[in-house]
Amino acid sequence: MENFEKTTADAKVSTRCSFSLDNEEFVWAFKEEIEQIIQRLTGGTKERDVISIVGMGGLGKATLAKRCTTTRSIADHFDIGAFCTISQRYSIRKLLAEILKQVTCRVKARHQRG
């Protein structure tokens, strides 16, 4: 497999918006969104599903996704999971290698616990 880069149409944004919240403030500010994402992930079958969270850099997309996927209800619903972020430029090979690494580590840890 070739190692190639994908870009999102060479998108360029002239301004950047960001904010900083501690974990408790973040959960409070996005409580409804977190609950909606968790419900969408756990409300259906265990089939593969992708939920895209998109927006300008610095808005907290990765933090929102991480917060949703680290809840007890998500851990109880799915057998295993991996978390990755994708920027405008990314390598499919590196992305898949990171997912494989996370899944492999979690499977090994699960087997060691019994």
Side-chain angles (χ1 to χ4, degrees):
M1 175 182 207
E2 286 183 3
N3 189 9
F4 57 94
E5 301 269 315
K6 295 279 187 186
T7 63
T8 55
D10 297 323
K12 292 186 175 141
V13 178
S14 60
T15 60
R16 184 171 181 155
C17 179
S18 65
F19 62 92
S20 178
L21 296 174
D22 67 25
N23 192 41
E24 190 173 315
E25 289 173 326
F26 186 88
V27 171
W28 179 82
F30 292 100
K31 186 173 177 53
E32 282 185 38
E33 288 82 359
I34 292 169
E35 289 173 1
Q36 288 174 359
I37 292 170
I38 292 170
Q39 177 58 38
R40 184 160 172 206
L41 287 169
T42 60
T45 66
K46 289 190 178 185
E47 296 291 319
R48 253 187 326 248
D49 195 9
V50 174
I51 297 175
S52 298
I53 302 172
V54 297
M56 292 177 58
L59 294 179
K61 299 174 299 293
T63 304
L64 175 62
K66 191 76 144 178
R67 180 66 181 102
C68 292
T69 58
T70 56
T71 63
R72 173 57 54 199
S73 57
I74 294 294
D76 291 344
H77 186 75
F78 293 98
D79 296 327
I80 200 150
F83 184 84
C84 60
T85 58
I86 301 174
S87 61
Q88 288 182 349
R89 291 186 156 230
Y90 64 94
S91 163
I92 291 175
R93 182 180 295 256
K94 289 179 183 176
L95 176 65
L96 293 174
E98 178 60 27
I99 292 169
L100 179 62
K101 178 180 158 187
Q102 288 182 38
V103 169
T104 302
C105 288
R106 291 179 181 154
V107 168
K108 285 181 183 177
R110 186 175 286 173
H111 284 318
Q112 288 174 350
R113 284 186 298 230

